[in-house]
C-alpha cells in the first residue's frame, strides 16, 4: 500500500485528525527540514506529514529548505507526495475558494537551491520534466474533489513566484499572457525535487485571493486568512478521500 506524504502549506501547519505515532527529526545532507516529519494514521492508513513553513508558520517561501524537506520525506518512507498550496487566482474561473489541480508549472523564482544534481558530480544528470505532476495522483485528487462536491478545475498552469511579497498588476498581466491560471510562491523547486527523487507528486491548490489587478480591492491578509479557514475543512476531506481510496 502506497505511503503518502502530505506537505502542508499556509493554513495547514497541522493535520487535525492525524494520530501521531512518531515525530522524526531527520538529518539530511542539505540541512534541517522545516519541521519534524510526523508519522501517523489518517483516514485509516499510514501517512507522513510535513509543515512546509514550519510549525508555527515562520519560514517564508523563499527561505524554505525544499531540498531538505523532500529528502527527509523520502528517508521517512514516502512513496508519493500530495502538496497543499494556497494560491492567487489569475484566470476568471479561479475565484476565492476554488480548487485547482494544476497540470503544468512555470518557474519565475530565482536564487533557490533547486536541484540535487550540483556540486562535485561524477556525471551530469538531466531529468524529463515535460509533465511536472503525476497524472495518476492528479486523477485521484480530482475524483476526491468531485466526490466532496467542491468547485475545482482539473487543469491549470501554476506560476511560481519568488515572494515573500505579492505580485504587481503588471507581473500578473505578464503571467496571464504566459498562460498562468494561478500564482503561488512554493510550487518550485518542490515539484522538480520530487521528480529528481522519483517521487510521484501532485498539487492541491486552494485559491485564497484574486491576483493583483483581478479585483478592485487591495489584497489583505485578513481576507486570505478567512479564505484559508473556510477552505481547510474541504482540503482535509479531500485528503481523507485520497488516502482511503
Amino acid at each position: 500500500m502506497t505511503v503518502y506524504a502530505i506537505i502542508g502549506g499556509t493554513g495547514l501547519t497541522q493535520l487535525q485528525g492525524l494520530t501521531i505515532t512518531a515525530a522524526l527529526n531527520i538529518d539530511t545532507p542539505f540541512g534541517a527540514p522545516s519541521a519534524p516529519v510526523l508519522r501517523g494514521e489518517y483516514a485509516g492508513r499510514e501517512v507522513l506529514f510535513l509543515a512546509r513553513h514550519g510549525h508555527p508558520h515562520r519560514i517564508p517561501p523563499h527561505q524554505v529548505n525544499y531540498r531538505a524537506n523532500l529528502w527527509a520525506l523520502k528517508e521517512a518512507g514516502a512513496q508519493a507526495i500530495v502538496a497543499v498550496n494556497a494560491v492567487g487566482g489569475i484566470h476568471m474561473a479561479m475565484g476565492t475558494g476554488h480548487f485547482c489541480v494544476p497540470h503544468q508549472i512555470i518557474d519565475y523564482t530565482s536564487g533557490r537551491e533547486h536541484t540535487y544534481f550540483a556540486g562535485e558530480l561524477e556525471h551530469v544528470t538531466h531529468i524529463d520534466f515535460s509533465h511536472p505532476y503525476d497524472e495518476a495522483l492528479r486523477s485521484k485528487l480530482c475524483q476526491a474533489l468531485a466526490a466532496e462536491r467542491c468547485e475545482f478545475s482539473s487543469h491549470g498552469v501554476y506560476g511560481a513566484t519568488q515572494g515573500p511579497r505579492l505580485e504587481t498588476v503588471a507581473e500578473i498581466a505578464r503571467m496571464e499572457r504566459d498562460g498562468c491560471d494561478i500564482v503561488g510562491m512554493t510550487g518550485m523547486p518542490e515539484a522538480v525535487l520530487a521528480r529528481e527523487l522519483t517521487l510521484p507528486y501532485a498539487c492541491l491548490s486552494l485559491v485564497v485571493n484574486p491576483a493583483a489587478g483581478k479585483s478592485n480591492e487591495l489584497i489583505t491578509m485578513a481576507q486570505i486568512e478567512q479564505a484559508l479557514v473556510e477552505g481547510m475543512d474541504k482540503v482535509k476531506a479531500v485528503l481523507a478521500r485520497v488516502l482511503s481510496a
Side-chain angles (χ1 to χ4, degrees):
M1 187 174 290
T2 301
V3 177
Y4 286 95
I6 297 166
I7 300 178
T10 300
L12 192 64
T13 57
Q14 300 180 83
L15 187 59
Q16 293 178 353
L18 173 67
T19 302
I20 300 171
T21 57
L24 308 175
N25 291 294
I26 298 175
D27 291 325
T28 84
F30 310 98
S34 298
V37 176
L38 302 181
R39 174 181 284 137
E41 184 176 292
Y42 188 73
R45 67 185 295 172
E46 181 184 4
V47 67
L48 301 168
F49 178 80
L50 177 64
R52 183 187 290 116
H53 299 280
H55 180 62
H57 186 286
R58 60 184 175 81
I59 306 172
H62 67 295
Q63 292 185 327
V64 171
N65 191 338
Y66 296 95
R67 292 194 299 178
N69 285 355
L70 273 295
W71 190 275
L73 288 173
K74 179 133 187 179
E75 283 289 302
Q79 297 171 315
I81 294 177
V82 175
V84 180
N85 301 74
V87 299
I90 297 176
H91 190 280
M92 66 175 63
M94 306 294 172
T96 299
H98 192 82
F99 285 94
C100 181
V101 183
H103 71 293
Q104 281 292 330
I105 193 164
I106 300 177
D107 188 4
Y108 300 95
T109 66
S110 61
R112 300 185 182 189
E113 297 289 352
H114 63 281
T115 181
Y116 294 111
F117 301 123
E120 297 295 326
L121 300 175
E122 294 182 1
H123 57 84
V124 176
T125 302
H126 301 285
I127 62 162
D128 181 10
F129 202 52
S130 302
H131 303 285
Y133 300 107
D134 182 79
E135 195 58 37
L137 199 47
R138 287 186 64 256
S139 178
K140 289 180 181 180
L141 283 169
C142 291
Q143 291 172 20
L145 285 161
E148 289 296 323
R149 299 184 179 181
C150 298
E151 292 187 4
F152 75 98
S153 297
S154 61
H155 292 77
V157 178
Y158 183 126
T161 58
Q162 179 70 355
R165 67 169 177 85
L166 298 176
E167 301 73 33
T168 68
V169 171
E171 286 170 333
I172 292 299
R174 173 202 172 190
M175 293 175 71
E176 187 169 27
R177 291 193 298 270
D178 287 348
C180 296
D181 300 298
I182 54 177
V183 55
M185 301 176 189
T186 54
M188 287 289 283
E190 199 171 86
V192 72
L193 293 170
R195 179 63 53 85
E196 289 184 353
L197 293 175
T198 66
L199 287 169
Y201 176 97
C203 171
L204 176 62
S205 293
L206 170 65
V207 179
V208 297
N209 61 274
K214 295 300 176 180
S215 169
N216 293 326
E217 300 178 1
L218 291 176
I219 301 169
T220 69
M221 288 308 300
Q223 292 171 329
I224 291 174
E225 289 167 2
Q226 182 61 34
L228 285 167
V229 169
E230 293 174 358
M232 279 305 126
D233 284 342
K234 294 178 182 178
V235 167
K236 293 167 187 172
V238 168
L239 292 175
R241 280 192 180 270
V242 170
L243 292 170
S244 61

